[in-house]
Amino acid sequence: QVQLVESGGGTVQAGGSLRLSCAAPGSIFSRNAMGWYRQGPGKQRELVATINSYLDTNYADSVKGRFTISRDNAKNTVYLQMNSLKLVDTDTYYCNADGLLRYPGPYWGQGTQVTVSS
């Protein structure tokens, strides 16, 4: 069973910043793209940002200019730096592995809650 270990969620005021981390097994991390998706109650899970092994990235329009995805190959970890957070960014964020820049792979983390307060 592939385990993706997420951390970094929490509560922050609007305009603030958070950084999410996701560690993956090396054999999975080096394959295809890693990414972050989010889902709120009653909503479909949506792509937030993805990054492949060539460091190509893809972002949802709603987060462009505010969020930055990066990866540390030595640590098998992908990060999501979230700045200028808005109330609408409140969701559960899921790490994803072995996907493509525009499509998720089969491996998911357990989810980490991000709550933006006014």
Side-chain angles (χ1 to χ4, degrees), residues 12-52:
V12 64
Q13 283 193 322
S17 299
L18 283 175
R19 189 176 81 154
L20 306 182
S21 301
C22 172
S27 59
I28 299 299
F29 186 82
S30 60
R31 296 205 314 233
N32 296 319
M34 296 288 296
W36 290 95
Y37 290 71
R38 65 187 182 188
Q39 186 173 22
K43 294 169 26 179
Q44 280 194 322
R45 193 168 296 188
E46 63 177 10
L47 183 151
V48 177
T50 54
I51 184 169
N52 63 17

Side-chain angles (χ1 to χ4, degrees), residues 28-107:
I28 299 299
F29 186 82
S30 60
R31 296 205 314 233
N32 296 319
M34 296 288 296
W36 290 95
Y37 290 71
R38 65 187 182 188
Q39 186 173 22
K43 294 169 26 179
Q44 280 194 322
R45 193 168 296 188
E46 63 177 10
L47 183 151
V48 177
T50 54
I51 184 169
N52 63 17
S53 57
Y54 300 101
L55 303 185
D56 299 317
T57 58
N58 181 41
Y59 291 94
D61 288 342
S62 59
V63 306
K64 284 180 181 176
R66 299 189 297 122
F67 291 10
T68 302
I69 190 169
S70 61
R71 58 191 291 157
D72 184 333
N73 292 333
K75 296 182 179 180
N76 295 331
T77 299
V78 63
Y79 303 97
L80 184 68
Q81 178 66 44
M82 305 184 292
N83 298 330
S84 302
L85 282 161
K86 304 176 181 179
L87 297 178
V88 296
D89 294 319
T90 296
D91 266 332
T92 301
Y93 285 68
Y94 296 89
C95 180
N96 179 263
D98 199 15
L100 300 174
L101 285 177
R102 298 188 182 278
Y103 300 99
Y107 306 108

